Amino acid sequence: MPPMAVAASLSLHLRLRPAPYARRTPPRHAPFLISPSPSTPPSPQHLRVAHGSFPRPWRPSVRARAGTVEAPSLARPGGAVETDRLPSDVRDRAMDAVDHFGGRVTIGDVASRAGLQVDQAERALQALAADTGGFLEVSGEGEVLYVFPKDYRAKLAGKSFRMRVEPLVNKAKEVGAYVVRVSFGTALVASIVLVYTTIIAIISSSSSDEDNRGRRRRSYGSTIFLPTDLFWYLDAGSSRRRRVENENGMNFIESVFSFVFGDGDPNDGLEERRWKMIGQYISSNGGVVTAEELAPYLDVPAPSELSKDDESFILPVLLRFQGHPEVDEQGNILYRFPSLQRTASSKGGGSREYVGTKWSAMFSGVEKFMEEKPWEFSKANASERAMVAGLGGLNLFGVIILGNLLKQMTVTPGGLISFAAQLFPLLQIYAGSFFAIPLFRWFLLRKTNDDISRRNKAREERAQELVLPEPSLRRKLLSARDMAQRKVITPEEIVYTTEKDVLDQEYEVKEWERRFKKLESD
């Protein structure tokens, strides 16, 4: 019977598995146990992992049924926006991956490009397709592809109130963070003004000598000249306003907060970047890699005889991308990721038969290892840090003097002195923490940067091993290349799609068969 006749008589039934979204916690130690069959010759074998097992990647089943067709559908319960149920970062990363591949993707494409768990990628694609009018395509081998219209982002934004509000919320967060930074610097100026003004008021009120009073007034005038002069940083309409900025665009008031609290984590988003790099590396190498190839992207110890045979660090990767270990004919342990072997795009499908120096030269633009950035004490320049420290010291000295004067007063007068006395505990806390917090951060950053340097060095050494691999590692890498199977699903392989009615598709198959028979008869 001609193939087209078989295709014309088939009705397709597609079952879509519900996408579990629960995170799995990888076991700390899971030694690999090889279970070869004693009666069979050496061949690629699967490994069993103690204390847990890796789930087989899901593949949709396409079953033939005579006479009935149940088309797959993307449920829209109650008209709810399914995408709003996704975490924002999962949704955005999935959409970026869809855009990168031109709107036609497999689950593996999104998981590898976005660094998402396979289950997360599947759920995100189902939600996006349900909300934007996307449809599914099924190949002859049962592979499922998700296809999105070009304006799917606009459609989603029109439905999702959350997506319309998120930019405003993010903008409000940025404004709030800036207000906090500026307020902390402004508090330093206000504290200096209040402390020294109160000191002068106390001294003036306790003296009866006119000459001394005049002398103290002149002293007062010279003492508070600097704090009041600092108000030009806050006066936006004054012609004297000056904005001192360094190359990072930080003004003096912001540098006060930077000196005390720092400027945040320089490695923010590190885990997202890590999993993107790992997913793209596995996908570009045909879905089969060695542990040594992924070590430069993970937190691993430096190469040594003790750590040479320890591959437990690969477990989180297997869990995230639904991979499993296999053994080649030479007894090498390799790791296969079936979900990342199927793609709808030919991007990144270059040759991978080279290893070592040749491979490094071919892909010089690819990051060889993941490098963490060291923490900076402050992004403010040296002159700004010196000015901030000087003003902080001036404030601390003033608080100490004010405290002694308040203790010597038997009766606290009203007005400014009474107000300062009530705020004095807060002034003490501010002045003390102004130096206690940076000192604590300085010691903490030294240890943190030492750990970062150690991890970077270990990953770099692991990457260098791949550039100049020893003979046993070279054979292992070549074996992984031989087992790689990167399957590109082309439009010609699609046998079913939810975009068209089932009857239309049956008509197209019959028309194709009629033309095929005509060509055969001719």
Side-chain angles (χ1 to χ4, degrees), residues 114-176:
L116 296 173
Q117 296 181 24
V118 174
D119 293 339
Q120 285 180 322
E122 181 181 354
R123 184 184 177 192
L125 287 174
Q126 290 178 354
L128 288 171
D131 293 335
T132 63
F135 58 92
L136 308 180
E137 293 180 347
V138 185
S139 70
E141 296 182 358
E143 310 293 354
V144 175
L145 288 80
Y146 290 80
V147 185
F148 297 89
K150 293 182 179 180
D151 60 343
Y152 82 99
R153 281 184 177 267
K155 290 182 177 180
L156 183 60
K159 286 185 176 181
S160 174
F161 175 76
R162 175 183 170 187
M163 287 191 65
R164 294 195 298 269
V165 171
E166 277 183 355
L168 301 177
V169 174
N170 293 334
K171 186 65 176 178
K173 289 180 179 179
E174 293 178 3
V175 173

Side-chain angles (χ1 to χ4, degrees), residues 410-440:
T410 57
V411 178
T412 303
L416 177 63
I417 299 177
S418 177
F419 176 73
Q422 293 176 2
L423 290 182
F424 187 72
L426 296 178
L427 296 175
Q428 285 180 308
I429 294 174
Y430 184 87
S433 62
F434 197 90
F435 290 101
I437 293 175
L439 184 63
F440 174 77

